[in-house]
Amino acid sequence: MNKIFQKMSMAALALLSVLALASCDAGDEDYTAGAPDPGYYLSASSTSLTYSSDENQVLALVVGRTDSTAAGTVNLTSDNPAFQVPSSVDFAAGEKSKTVMVPFDLPIGSTETVTFTVPSDESTVYGTDSLTFTVKRDYKWENAGSGTFTDNILYSISGVVSVEHAVGTNLYRWVSPFNSLFRQAGESDLPTGGNIQFSVDNGTVSFADGIYYPDDSKTAIPYFLYYDTANYPNYCTLSVDGSVVTINLLAGEVKDMQPAYTGSIVFDWTEGCPWRN
């Protein structure tokens, strides 16, 4: 299978480095430091967070300030009541930043967004006064066997893929199917994540309308899968024959998010198929 992207040549990298150095040197003598702007700002190591069902529901929010000469206090607000952010944060003299642990309470399987904000009159131009998190509290997943997953829409490749079941529900998922297919095909640039979820209820398999990304980063695989039975009933269908699930659907490029291709993904649930046990 051909690589999707080519690596930049070392010669090109060297040229870019020379140009970057030249641009820095040329303007050094004209550099003027920005005006002081004491105030507070927010930061975090990541703003997209996933928690397991038995993990403590607490996120870390870093509050910093540009002037730590004296003690100070900054106000904080949140737009989601499920997140118990303190109304204010105190700083001792000499303390430049503080990590605030924010507890929250989300139902299993839910995803919420929350925006934390420092008042504009207490913030600084040298940092952000507002930070938005996407927080998911995931199900507890258990092994549900494996089978052969065939991609007949993007790359025409096939391989063994694991299945997991969300405990206490009728939800299942193919675990990073395109990562597995790429690895088994000998690829080095591997997609990340890309779990594909479906449901099984008394032997009936269902696949929800929506957009599915085979690669969460959208770099190794710059495409999306699109299942829309309401608007494209002739192209989006699901059928089951024995242990084989066939999903006909659409696909497109993430750069324009327009459905452009038709095809299917096929899964032969050879181990652990719940309606064949």
Side-chain angles (χ1 to χ4, degrees):
M1 183 170 62
N2 293 329
K3 303 293 183 184
I4 297 173
F5 297 111
Q6 297 294 326
K7 302 294 186 184
M8 183 179 290
S9 69
M10 293 304 295
L13 286 173
L15 177 61
L16 285 175
S17 298
V18 170
L19 292 174
L21 287 173
S23 64
C24 289
D25 292 343
D28 282 350
E29 64 272 16
D30 298 324
Y31 172 74
T32 301
D37 186 42
Y40 296 85
Y41 60 90
L42 304 176
S43 66
S45 58
S46 175
T47 56
S48 181
L49 307 173
T50 298
Y51 294 77
S52 63
S53 60
D54 54 359
E55 190 174 359
N56 287 337
Q57 297 185 72
V58 179
L59 67 79
L61 174 68
V62 178
V63 183
R65 59 179 183 163
T66 54
D67 183 0
S68 61
T69 306
T73 299
V74 61
N75 294 312
L76 280 179
T77 59
S78 156
D79 66 350
N80 189 328
F83 295 81
Q84 293 97 56
V85 65
S87 59
S88 63
V89 179
D90 297 325
F91 287 80
E95 192 173 24
K96 295 199 68 172
S97 67
K98 178 171 288 188
T99 299
V100 179
M101 307 308 292
V102 181
F104 58 91
D105 187 12
L106 300 183
I108 293 176
S110 64
T111 300
E112 298 262 358
T113 60
V114 57
T115 299
F116 301 107
T117 304
V118 169
S120 58
D121 60 348
E122 299 178 43
S123 64
T124 172
V125 297
Y126 298 115
T128 182
D129 62 357
S130 180
L131 203 58
T132 299
F133 289 77
T134 299
V135 183
K136 177 180 181 180
R137 190 177 181 212
D138 207 354
Y139 298 98
K140 181 178 181 180
W141 295 92
E142 62 183 2
N143 177 53
S146 62
T148 301
F149 188 102
T150 302
D151 157 40
N152 291 323
I153 190 168
L154 295 178
Y155 301 105
S156 297
I157 53 177
S158 182
V160 176
V161 168
S162 297
V163 190
E164 290 182 337
H165 170 237
V167 176
T169 76
N170 63 352
L171 298 176
Y172 291 79
R173 68 182 180 185
W174 292 301
V175 182
S176 301
F178 283 83
N179 177 283
S180 296
L181 299 189
F182 271 41
R183 280 191 292 103
Q184 291 167 59
E187 283 292 314
S188 56
D189 294 329
L190 300 178
T192 60
N195 298 323
I196 299 179
Q197 189 169 294
F198 59 100
S199 64
V200 179
D201 190 4
N202 294 322
T204 299
V205 180
S206 301
F207 195 64
D209 283 3
I211 295 173
Y212 297 83
Y213 294 100
D215 173 22
D216 288 349
S217 72
K218 305 176 185 65
T219 54
I221 301 180
Y223 300 99
F224 67 94
L225 302 176
Y226 185 50
Y227 191 74
D228 185 350
T229 55
N231 294 303
Y232 300 98
N234 294 330
Y235 299 106
C236 299
T237 61
L238 185 151
S239 62
V240 177
D241 183 8
S243 61
V244 179
V245 180
T246 300
I247 301 174
N248 295 304
L249 70 177
L250 304 168
E253 299 183 50
V254 296
K255 65 181 180 182
D256 56 23
M257 296 303 294
Q258 295 297 316
Y261 318 111
T262 62
S264 66
I265 55 176
V266 181
F267 184 70
D268 186 359
W269 203 333
T270 54
E271 178 191 353
C273 180
W275 63 85
R276 295 291 299 272
N277 290 342

